[in-house]
Amino acid sequence: MLDNLKILYHQGKQFIPNVKTAKVPGIFRGRPIISTQKVNETELANLCPMHAISSNPVAIDLGKCTFCGECALQYPEKIKFTTDYKISTNERERLIVKEGDDFAIEVNPAAVRKEIRQIFGKSLKLRQVSAGGDNSCEWELNAANNVQFDMSRFGIEFVASPRHADGIAITGPITQNMAKALEIAYNATPDPKVIVLVGTDAISGGIFAGSPALDRSFLENHKVDLYIPGNPTHPLTIINGLLDLTRKKR
């Protein structure tokens, strides 16, 4: 007991009491803000090797963005990344931030299936499937359940078998080698179930988009319930996205 009190005295609280209001360091790149200041839009769009930036109007697709920040470094008067980590949504088009936009990216509760809130509102078990991932988003999913972020306090946890899960969380661009395994894991999950895409690679293919080594037909055949952008995704983005999907009221 005395040892535990000494640790608490010297190190303080290690967990985050409120995951909705927690602050992240200023170097974190979250939701961008694009000003209406005129720049050479073609040069700006060509700067991004991910093709995440489009022109007329200038917009950034967070489903493609790797948050490298090069656009903000080259055009600081045009693009600024905030520390807003609440950037998950259930509608793909909401991940596209246009110039002049300065509002939160949110889950649209009206578009959430009724059974998700009714059945998974207090407990959600997910099977994570790394479909060719690079282990970065996988690490952050693991971190979401560590003692600091403690996602399990909300009844949200990962399980070893899809038969014990309420849905699957997919990371990676979905390679040909993992396409069948992903489909098997999905089919083994009992209904009703959710599909969550975690990270840029899962949402758009990332730097591997267009590669013949990918097979993303799974996403054409099944509805995605939540997009969690990031490269890798921050644990607070993961937790807030899952809470909004399962508990946000209409």
PDB file of all heavy atoms in Angstrom, residues 136-149:
ATOM      1  N   SER A 136       1.675  -0.256 -37.275  1.00  0.00           N
ATOM      2  CA  SER A 136       1.572   1.030 -36.579  1.00  0.00           C
ATOM      3  C   SER A 136       0.168   1.204 -35.978  1.00  0.00           C
ATOM      4  O   SER A 136       0.029   1.480 -34.780  1.00  0.00           O
ATOM      5  CB  SER A 136       1.906   2.181 -37.535  1.00  0.00           C
ATOM      6  OG  SER A 136       1.046   2.173 -38.660  1.00  0.00           O
ATOM      7  N   CYS A 137      -0.848   1.043 -36.796  1.00  0.00           N
ATOM      8  CA  CYS A 137      -2.214   1.160 -36.271  1.00  0.00           C
ATOM      9  C   CYS A 137      -2.517   0.022 -35.292  1.00  0.00           C
ATOM     10  O   CYS A 137      -3.283   0.201 -34.343  1.00  0.00           O
ATOM     11  CB  CYS A 137      -3.232   1.150 -37.417  1.00  0.00           C
ATOM     12  SG  CYS A 137      -3.353   2.725 -38.292  1.00  0.00           S
ATOM     13  N   GLU A 138      -1.920  -1.130 -35.525  1.00  0.00           N
ATOM     14  CA  GLU A 138      -2.118  -2.251 -34.607  1.00  0.00           C
ATOM     15  C   GLU A 138      -1.576  -1.905 -33.221  1.00  0.00           C
ATOM     16  O   GLU A 138      -2.198  -2.230 -32.210  1.00  0.00           O
ATOM     17  CB  GLU A 138      -1.419  -3.500 -35.159  1.00  0.00           C
ATOM     18  CG  GLU A 138      -2.063  -4.092 -36.413  1.00  0.00           C
ATOM     19  CD  GLU A 138      -1.619  -3.401 -37.694  1.00  0.00           C
ATOM     20  OE1 GLU A 138      -0.999  -2.322 -37.616  1.00  0.00           O
ATOM     21  OE2 GLU A 138      -1.902  -3.928 -38.779  1.00  0.00           O
ATOM     22  N   TRP A 139      -0.442  -1.232 -33.187  1.00  0.00           N
ATOM     23  CA  TRP A 139       0.137  -0.800 -31.908  1.00  0.00           C
ATOM     24  C   TRP A 139      -0.791   0.185 -31.210  1.00  0.00           C
ATOM     25  O   TRP A 139      -0.963   0.141 -29.997  1.00  0.00           O
ATOM     26  CB  TRP A 139       1.499  -0.153 -32.144  1.00  0.00           C
ATOM     27  CG  TRP A 139       2.650  -1.113 -32.276  1.00  0.00           C
ATOM     28  CD1 TRP A 139       2.574  -2.407 -32.721  1.00  0.00           C
ATOM     29  CD2 TRP A 139       4.017  -0.875 -31.959  1.00  0.00           C
ATOM     30  NE1 TRP A 139       3.815  -2.968 -32.729  1.00  0.00           N
ATOM     31  CE2 TRP A 139       4.727  -2.057 -32.258  1.00  0.00           C
ATOM     32  CE3 TRP A 139       4.703   0.224 -31.481  1.00  0.00           C
ATOM     33  CZ2 TRP A 139       6.102  -2.167 -32.065  1.00  0.00           C
ATOM     34  CZ3 TRP A 139       6.077   0.120 -31.293  1.00  0.00           C
ATOM     35  CH2 TRP A 139       6.767  -1.064 -31.581  1.00  0.00           C
ATOM     36  N   GLU A 140      -1.355   1.107 -31.982  1.00  0.00           N
ATOM     37  CA  GLU A 140      -2.225   2.122 -31.374  1.00  0.00           C
ATOM     38  C   GLU A 140      -3.535   1.506 -30.881  1.00  0.00           C
ATOM     39  O   GLU A 140      -4.098   1.965 -29.877  1.00  0.00           O
ATOM     40  CB  GLU A 140      -2.491   3.250 -32.377  1.00  0.00           C
ATOM     41  CG  GLU A 140      -1.233   3.966 -32.863  1.00  0.00           C
ATOM     42  CD  GLU A 140      -0.409   4.558 -31.719  1.00  0.00           C
ATOM     43  OE1 GLU A 140      -0.987   4.902 -30.674  1.00  0.00           O
ATOM     44  OE2 GLU A 140       0.830   4.650 -31.856  1.00  0.00           O
ATOM     45  N   LEU A 141      -4.045   0.499 -31.582  1.00  0.00           N
ATOM     46  CA  LEU A 141      -5.226  -0.207 -31.084  1.00  0.00           C
ATOM     47  C   LEU A 141      -4.899  -0.887 -29.754  1.00  0.00           C
ATOM     48  O   LEU A 141      -5.716  -0.881 -28.828  1.00  0.00           O
ATOM     49  CB  LEU A 141      -5.694  -1.245 -32.112  1.00  0.00           C
ATOM     50  CG  LEU A 141      -6.428  -0.692 -33.333  1.00  0.00           C
ATOM     51  CD1 LEU A 141      -6.579  -1.782 -34.393  1.00  0.00           C
ATOM     52  CD2 LEU A 141      -7.800  -0.164 -32.954  1.00  0.00           C
ATOM     53  N   ASN A 142      -3.723  -1.457 -29.677  1.00  0.00           N
ATOM     54  CA  ASN A 142      -3.286  -2.073 -28.429  1.00  0.00           C
ATOM     55  C   ASN A 142      -3.138  -1.013 -27.337  1.00  0.00           C
ATOM     56  O   ASN A 142      -3.533  -1.234 -26.177  1.00  0.00           O
ATOM     57  CB  ASN A 142      -1.957  -2.787 -28.655  1.00  0.00           C
ATOM     58  CG  ASN A 142      -1.536  -3.616 -27.464  1.00  0.00           C
ATOM     59  OD1 ASN A 142      -2.345  -4.342 -26.899  1.00  0.00           O
ATOM     60  ND2 ASN A 142      -0.278  -3.495 -27.057  1.00  0.00           N
ATOM     61  N   ALA A 143      -2.607   0.154 -27.713  1.00  0.00           N
ATOM     62  CA  ALA A 143      -2.432   1.230 -26.729  1.00  0.00           C
ATOM     63  C   ALA A 143      -3.773   1.737 -26.204  1.00  0.00           C
ATOM     64  O   ALA A 143      -3.876   2.171 -25.046  1.00  0.00           O
ATOM     65  CB  ALA A 143      -1.652   2.384 -27.352  1.00  0.00           C
ATOM     66  N   ALA A 144      -4.804   1.684 -27.041  1.00  0.00           N
ATOM     67  CA  ALA A 144      -6.127   2.146 -26.601  1.00  0.00           C
ATOM     68  C   ALA A 144      -6.632   1.348 -25.409  1.00  0.00           C
ATOM     69  O   ALA A 144      -7.483   1.820 -24.651  1.00  0.00           O
ATOM     70  CB  ALA A 144      -7.121   2.059 -27.761  1.00  0.00           C
ATOM     71  N   ASN A 145      -6.118   0.155 -25.245  1.00  0.00           N
ATOM     72  CA  ASN A 145      -6.546  -0.705 -24.133  1.00  0.00           C
ATOM     73  C   ASN A 145      -5.535  -0.746 -23.000  1.00  0.00           C
ATOM     74  O   ASN A 145      -5.714  -1.521 -22.050  1.00  0.00           O
ATOM     75  CB  ASN A 145      -6.797  -2.134 -24.634  1.00  0.00           C
ATOM     76  CG  ASN A 145      -8.274  -2.404 -24.830  1.00  0.00           C
ATOM     77  OD1 ASN A 145      -9.109  -1.847 -24.125  1.00  0.00           O
ATOM     78  ND2 ASN A 145      -8.605  -3.258 -25.783  1.00  0.00           N
ATOM     79  N   ASN A 146      -4.445   0.064 -23.089  1.00  0.00           N
ATOM     80  CA  ASN A 146      -3.475   0.018 -21.997  1.00  0.00           C
ATOM     81  C   ASN A 146      -3.989   0.818 -20.796  1.00  0.00           C
ATOM     82  O   ASN A 146      -5.077   1.398 -20.827  1.00  0.00           O
ATOM     83  CB  ASN A 146      -2.092   0.491 -22.462  1.00  0.00           C
ATOM     84  CG  ASN A 146      -2.058   1.975 -22.817  1.00  0.00           C
ATOM     85  OD1 ASN A 146      -2.929   2.741 -22.416  1.00  0.00           O
ATOM     86  ND2 ASN A 146      -1.053   2.379 -23.567  1.00  0.00           N
ATOM     87  N   VAL A 147      -3.199   0.864 -19.725  1.00  0.00           N
ATOM     88  CA  VAL A 147      -3.676   1.489 -18.493  1.00  0.00           C
ATOM     89  C   VAL A 147      -3.850   2.995 -18.629  1.00  0.00           C
ATOM     90  O   VAL A 147      -4.557   3.624 -17.827  1.00  0.00           O
ATOM     91  CB  VAL A 147      -2.709   1.186 -17.329  1.00  0.00           C
ATOM     92  CG1 VAL A 147      -2.720  -0.278 -17.009  1.00  0.00           C
ATOM     93  CG2 VAL A 147      -1.289   1.665 -17.663  1.00  0.00           C
ATOM     94  N   GLN A 148      -3.204   3.592 -19.615  1.00  0.00           N
ATOM     95  CA  GLN A 148      -3.314   5.041 -19.772  1.00  0.00           C
ATOM     96  C   GLN A 148      -4.641   5.438 -20.420  1.00  0.00           C
ATOM     97  O   GLN A 148      -5.362   6.301 -19.926  1.00  0.00           O
ATOM     98  CB  GLN A 148      -2.144   5.577 -20.600  1.00  0.00           C
ATOM     99  CG  GLN A 148      -2.123   7.099 -20.674  1.00  0.00           C
ATOM    100  CD  GLN A 148      -0.919   7.609 -21.415  1.00  0.00           C
ATOM    101  OE1 GLN A 148      -0.300   6.917 -22.201  1.00  0.00           O
ATOM    102  NE2 GLN A 148      -0.568   8.858 -21.168  1.00  0.00           N
ATOM    103  N   PHE A 149      -4.978   4.802 -21.531  1.00  0.00           N
ATOM    104  CA  PHE A 149      -6.212   5.159 -22.237  1.00  0.00           C
ATOM    105  C   PHE A 149      -7.398   4.331 -21.735  1.00  0.00           C
ATOM    106  O   PHE A 149      -8.529   4.799 -21.749  1.00  0.00           O
ATOM    107  CB  PHE A 149      -6.010   4.993 -23.742  1.00  0.00           C
ATOM    108  CG  PHE A 149      -4.983   5.919 -24.306  1.00  0.00           C
ATOM    109  CD1 PHE A 149      -3.692   5.484 -24.558  1.00  0.00           C
ATOM    110  CD2 PHE A 149      -5.292   7.243 -24.570  1.00  0.00           C
ATOM    111  CE1 PHE A 149      -2.727   6.338 -25.070  1.00  0.00           C
ATOM    112  CE2 PHE A 149      -4.339   8.112 -25.081  1.00  0.00           C
ATOM    113  CZ  PHE A 149      -3.047   7.662 -25.335  1.00  0.00           C
TER     114      PHE A 149
END
